[in-house]
Amino acid sequence: MNRPPPYFPQNQLSPPDEGRYRKFKLIVAGLVIALIVIVSGIAYGAYYLISSLF
């Protein structure tokens, strides 16, 4: 059993998706915008709560 290991091709069998990077950028931008909206909502809610108490 002195034979080399089986050959596994290093490249993908299907070509890469052309719009993959664009989709990734849109998802990241959407997550950043959602995070900004959530953080600003929490900040506004805390300001409204504090201002209503005093």
Side-chain angles (χ1 to χ4, degrees):
M1 307 242 40
N2 197 5
R3 55 186 179 184
Y7 173 71
F8 295 104
Q10 298 298 318
N11 58 352
Q12 293 180 345
L13 297 178
S14 61
D17 186 14
E18 295 295 328
R20 179 176 57 176
Y21 184 63
R22 183 172 185 268
K23 290 176 192 174
F24 175 73
K25 285 196 305 185
L26 288 174
I27 290 172
V28 169
L31 289 176
V32 167
I33 290 172
L35 186 65
I36 290 172
V37 167
I38 290 171
V39 168
S40 61
I42 290 173
Y44 178 74
Y47 170 75
Y48 185 76
L49 178 65
I50 291 172
S51 65
S52 68
L53 290 177
F54 296 110

